[in-house]
Amino acid sequence: MSGIVSPGEPFPLGATFDGLGTNFSLFSHVAEAVELCLFDDAGHETRYQLPEVDAYCWHGYIEEIEPGHRYGYRVHGPYQPEAGVRCNPAKLLLDPYAKAVEGSVRWGQAPYGYDLTLDDLHMDTTDSADSMPKSMVVDPAFEWGFDHAPKTKWADTVIYETHVKGLTWTHPDIPERQRGTYAGVAHPAMIEHFTKLGVTAVELMPVHHFIHDHRLAQLSLSNYWGYNSIAYLAPYNGYAARPGHRVVNEFKAMVRALHTAGIEVILDVVYNHTAEGNNLGPSLAYRGIDNASYYRLVDGQPRLYSDSTGTGNSLNVRNPHVLQLMMDSLRYWVLDMHVDGFRFDLAASLARQFHEVDRLSAFFDLIQQDPVISQVKLIAEPWDVGDGGYQVGNFPPLWSEWNGKFRDSIRDYWRQDTPISELAERLTGSSDLYAANGRSPFASINFVTCHDGFTLSDLVSYNDKHNDANGESGRDGTDDNRSWNCGAEGRTDDPQILDLRRQQVRNLLATLFLSQGVPMLLGGDELGRTQAGNNNAYCQDNAISWYDWSRVDLDLLAWTRHLIALRKEHPVFRRRRFFQGRPLRKVAPTDRLPDIAWFRPDGAEMTDTDWEVGYAKSIGVFLNGLSIPDPDVHGRPIVDDSFYLIFNAWDQEIDVTLPEARWTSTWEVVLDTVANAADPLGAPPDRRPAGAVLRMSGHQLLLLKSAPTAGP
């Protein structure tokens, strides 16, 4: 190490290794001086004052600083919380642009910028270096080979939401040192599971480097979900089989392996807040670098933080340097790490500029015009906890959204608590939410369960949450579960209740994968995973959250594979445009059928009056495979079989009459959530003529198919 700091360059921000040395650059509008702190393997610190400042970027270059070097910053400036400024050079700070982080926070007085025995107006001078993780210099070189993005079309996408650690921690076919890591996700055993299942994208819960909060550490818990980001360009080091700066290459190798199998990688990202919390939180990075630039402070009370996320703070997306950090981070993950898209946590918070949710905020404008980010998959969680924060259907056309109304409506329907008109909207892609501004069915990310809430198994096994293990006396987690335990709370040996639960799981999965839009499967639901009724397992890094690969429900796994394969085989279930309810192609010289039609149990078409019958719980849906408006990639018409879906949410048997012969002469049962439960492909074809009467069980879904009788 030369020990000589030359001026270097203000951009790019962060630590940039050029083969001979490293350029360091840090933005701070309020700093009076910035010290770069380098640490050797023994933890000894050497400080260098950055000699230059341009456009509020403090920068310097040091030769012989190579990948693997640990560093942090000390920012000198005023400590005036009442004015929104919290500089404290006693506190070592992470680089917001760090591409790797080593170590974790050791909680106590040291990480806090104020005296914990007093209040945040009193600065603390305890040195925090020994209690802080360190930023690391990385080598950007990686052999990508022939890697290329799968670029799966939205209409063909099936998303698998999962947690990096929980997915593989107990998997017997994965070497122990790789379990719970990026390498574990890329292991051939997991690639085989994904490909046999038929999913096209893996959506990883947060992998930006995050912090385990002090409160949870005191309870011997952890921030398992990871929605507590602190470094937006660094993969979380706790998921590394090989620690240190090599985590970057391990992550890249995971992406490369998934791409080779044709599977996209989507990251769940948390740009709405950081791990530093409110005014009583620690000083880990942004607070001590430039508090008022990075965070939204309360007007007239800059000591306090505006909070639309429920986490203590909100990033200040009105500030151009914060927007730059977000965009630089997103581009880095696409261009350098090769990821294929992002799901934005509490995305409504990012749209807030002046207390209101503004669909055309600066953040979304930037993404719209960005030549890199605008070309990947963008998914919004379209709500936050602020006033007016529920924004399902209100994001720009470029975006898809987690459709919370789909989740709620499908859950309610199968527990007999929603009208069939609501089921119809969700089944057909939620045109009531997305059609008005020119969006398509794939604007709707359909899900019945996700990481936040009950698993699918628990959804049919519990009426109430059971979160005692979280240490909050049951106050955490939603009470609006829209679940039904089928007659007993939790575990039971009653065979009738167990059969009903399995049937309800099949109903919910079938509704998910046969609906228009983009289906998202919560990882582990295909295995029968349970969290024992915990609907907020964010802090449970244990058997409550881990997938139990020793207890896989093989029948359920086969059922899920069959549903995904059925969807993939038949384009009528993944249309790129909304149904019109009228003929789109001529089927026969004397007859034209609409692209979709709705029927009562007696076989008659639904009337306006029928839709208003709130107690109706059974409906038939005709899907015309000859009326798919979009051509294939070669410009040829897409022709599919026609299908008839029958839903019965009643708990009693009913008689259902199939439509008359003009719709088709013969139907073949291809999916039955009761009769063909264990082996959907094992039974011989069950053919029924037009007008036949079927006796349906309670809580049953049937799918019937008719081969086309004429060309387009």
Side-chain angles (χ1 to χ4, degrees):
M1 187 185 306
S2 68
I4 299 175
V5 185
S6 59
E9 301 293 338
F11 298 103
L13 289 161
T16 306
F17 174 65
D18 63 7
L20 298 176
T22 300
N23 189 81
F24 296 90
S25 182
L26 178 76
F27 160 76
S28 178
H29 183 274
V30 297
E32 296 170 354
V34 173
E35 288 180 306
L36 169 68
C37 307
L38 299 179
F39 296 85
D40 62 19
D41 292 343
H44 298 135
E45 178 182 357
T46 304
R47 302 184 189 182
Y48 301 89
Q49 185 162 323
L50 294 181
E52 298 287 330
V53 55
D54 293 288
Y56 303 111
C57 294
W58 300 76
H59 55 92
Y61 179 91
I62 305 179
E63 292 184 357
E64 300 179 21
I65 299 299
E66 298 178 342
H69 269 87
R70 305 164 186 85
Y71 71 98
Y73 291 107
R74 299 181 186 271
V75 175
H76 297 257
Y79 185 85
Q80 299 172 350
E82 67 280 6
V85 185
R86 296 175 180 265
C87 298
N88 185 343
K91 308 304 171 182
L92 184 75
L93 304 173
L94 287 169
D95 181 0
Y97 278 77
K99 295 183 175 67
V101 175
E102 183 180 70
S104 58
V105 178
R106 293 172 53 196
W107 291 111
Q109 172 61 69
Y112 290 86
Y114 66 95
D115 189 332
L116 288 173
T117 65
L118 299 172
D119 59 36
D120 61 309
L121 296 177
H122 295 80
M123 187 173 76
D124 174 74
T125 58
T126 306
D127 192 293
S128 69
D130 290 342
S131 299
M132 281 290 294
K134 309 300 187 292
S135 307
M136 301 195 79
V137 180
V138 306
D139 187 346
F142 181 75
E143 181 53 61
W144 282 104
F146 296 102
D147 180 72
H148 65 278
K151 293 189 178 298
T152 306
K153 294 183 181 301
W154 263 126
D156 301 329
T157 297
V158 177
I159 298 173
Y160 186 90
E161 188 200 25
T162 190
H163 186 279
V164 171
K165 179 176 182 179
L167 175 67
T168 64
W169 190 251
T170 72
H171 202 297
D173 296 332
I174 296 177
E176 187 171 347
R177 63 182 179 82
Q178 293 183 10
R179 295 177 190 171
T181 69
Y182 305 116
V185 176
H187 190 275
M190 288 315 312
I191 299 293
E192 181 181 19
H193 179 71
F194 296 143
T195 53
K196 285 186 175 180
L197 190 58
V199 298
T200 69
V202 173
E203 182 177 304
L204 300 178
M205 291 173 66
V207 297
H208 288 168
H209 190 78
F210 59 87
I211 297 298
H212 298 284
D213 357 1
H214 193 176
R215 181 187 67 84
L216 291 176
Q218 290 174 319
L219 295 171
S220 298
L221 299 171
S222 64
N223 197 312
Y224 175 72
W225 283 356
Y227 291 93
N228 210 30
S229 301
I230 197 66
Y232 291 109
L233 285 83
Y236 176 59
N237 61 25
Y239 300 152
R242 303 176 69 194
H245 67 287
R246 293 174 294 183
V247 64
V248 176
N249 280 358
E250 184 178 333
F251 185 94
K252 291 177 178 179
M254 175 194 71
V255 174
R256 184 179 60 192
L258 289 167
H259 281 181
T260 300
I263 299 170
E264 294 182 307
V265 178
I266 298 172
L267 301 187
D268 192 339
V269 292
V270 190
Y271 292 109
N272 52 75
H273 74 279
T274 78
E276 291 186 302
N278 61 19
N279 61 301
L280 300 179
S283 289
L284 307 175
Y286 312 91
R287 190 192 308 278
I289 294 170
D290 193 335
N291 186 59
S293 290
Y294 279 109
Y295 294 116
R296 292 182 60 200
L297 306 180
V298 174
D299 291 340
Q301 301 182 74
R303 177 185 175 186
L304 304 178
Y305 292 77
S306 177
D307 179 16
S308 60
T309 64
T311 60
N313 66 56
S314 299
L315 278 172
N316 183 14
V317 294
R318 289 176 284 184
N319 185 286
H321 294 282
V322 177
L323 288 172
Q324 179 186 4
L325 170 62
M326 292 179 178
M327 297 303 293
D328 287 347
S329 167
L330 291 168
R331 289 192 204 98
Y332 173 76
W333 287 98
V334 174
L335 296 176
D336 287 66
M337 307 294 262
H338 287 205
V339 304
D340 305 283
F342 305 95
R343 178 265 189 189
F344 291 79
D345 178 65
L346 300 181
S349 180
L350 300 176
R352 292 181 182 273
Q353 291 189 323
F354 299 99
H355 306 293
E356 300 295 334
V357 175
D358 176 6
R359 192 179 69 175
L360 300 178
S361 72
F363 177 70
F364 297 102
D365 288 345
L366 282 173
I367 284 183
Q368 180 74 33
Q369 58 80 42
D370 189 273
V372 174
I373 309 306
S374 64
Q375 300 305 302
V376 301
K377 287 183 165 68
L378 301 172
I379 304 170
E381 182 186 32
W383 49 78
D384 64 19
V385 300
D387 292 340
Y390 192 75
Q391 294 292 313
V392 173
N394 289 336
F395 278 71
L398 189 66
W399 291 71
S400 295
E401 304 175 17
W402 271 27
N403 189 345
K405 289 189 176 182
F406 181 96
R407 171 199 60 202
D408 295 345
S409 298
I410 302 310
R411 289 184 179 192
D412 284 345
Y413 174 76
W414 284 111
R415 65 189 188 112
Q416 305 180 54
D417 194 27
T418 198
I420 53 176
S421 58
E422 184 67 17
L423 170 69
E425 290 283 11
R426 305 309 146 224
L427 186 70
T428 56
S430 297
S431 61
D432 59 328
L433 300 177
Y434 304 114
N437 62 354
R439 300 167 80 182
S440 302
F442 52 74
S444 177
I445 304 296
N446 298 333
F447 64 104
V448 176
T449 55
C450 65
H451 69 273
D452 190 0
F454 283 144
T455 67
L456 189 56
S457 176
D458 289 355
L459 187 68
V460 300
S461 303
Y462 295 89
N463 285 347
D464 303 302
K465 64 187 180 185
H466 296 266
N467 296 357
D468 292 344
N470 294 357
E472 299 183 43
S473 301
R475 294 185 301 271
D476 66 300
T478 183
D479 294 313
D480 184 24
N481 294 296
R482 301 171 190 251
S483 59
W484 178 40
N485 64 20
C486 298
E489 187 72 358
R491 297 186 63 178
T492 180
D493 295 326
D494 188 315
Q496 290 185 318
I497 292 176
L498 293 174
D499 284 345
L500 178 56
R501 287 177 178 177
R502 286 188 285 265
Q503 189 169 318
Q504 285 288 78
V505 164
R506 292 190 292 270
N507 286 330
L508 290 162
L509 285 173
T511 308
L512 172 65
F513 287 108
L514 299 179
S515 294
Q516 305 298 319
V518 179
M520 183 184 79
L521 178 70
L522 172 62
D525 277 353
E526 79 281 13
L527 310 175
R529 186 172 75 91
T530 176
Q531 292 179 170
N534 192 319
N535 75 348
N536 189 36
Y538 76 101
C539 56
Q540 299 298 329
D541 187 1
N542 50 48
I544 291 176
S545 297
W546 303 333
Y547 297 26
D548 187 350
W549 290 96
S550 69
R551 300 182 63 183
V552 174
D553 186 332
L554 296 177
D555 290 341
L556 177 57
L557 179 57
W559 174 262
T560 310
R561 288 172 174 171
H562 178 56
L563 285 172
I564 296 175
L566 184 68
R567 180 184 181 88
K568 181 178 181 180
E569 182 181 356
H570 294 286
V572 74
F573 298 116
R574 42 188 174 84
R575 291 166 51 105
R576 286 175 277 164
R577 299 189 196 181
F578 290 110
F579 290 103
Q580 300 297 311
R582 55 182 171 80
L584 298 182
R585 290 183 182 169
K586 197 168 184 179
V587 177
T590 59
D591 189 16
R592 299 180 71 201
L593 297 178
D595 55 356
I596 190 170
W598 305 87
F599 295 84
R600 300 190 315 229
D602 64 3
E605 286 192 67
M606 296 277 290
T607 65
D608 290 344
T609 302
D610 294 327
W611 288 110
E612 297 171 359
V613 179
Y615 58 81
K617 295 292 178 274
S618 181
I619 192 172
V621 190
F622 171 78
L623 304 178
N624 191 344
L626 296 176
S627 288
I628 300 174
D630 293 299
D632 65 14
V633 294
H634 302 291
R636 299 171 301 197
I638 296 176
V639 177
D640 196 7
D641 299 313
S642 293
F643 287 86
Y644 192 64
L645 263 167
I646 312 174
F647 295 84
N648 178 35
W650 289 116
D651 55 7
Q652 302 296 322
E653 292 183 342
I654 63 169
D655 288 332
V656 173
T657 302
L658 297 178
E660 61 186 5
R662 84 179 186 94
W663 300 92
T664 195
S665 59
T666 305
W667 293 102
E668 177 182 312
V669 178
V670 295
L671 197 69
D672 182 347
T673 59
V674 176
N676 295 345
D679 185 6
L681 300 177
D686 181 3
R687 300 183 184 275
R688 303 296 179 94
V693 177
L694 307 180
R695 173 60 59 93
M696 288 192 69
S697 302
H699 310 294
Q700 184 176 15
L701 182 152
L702 283 174
L703 178 67
L704 301 93
K705 179 180 72 172
S706 172
T709 57

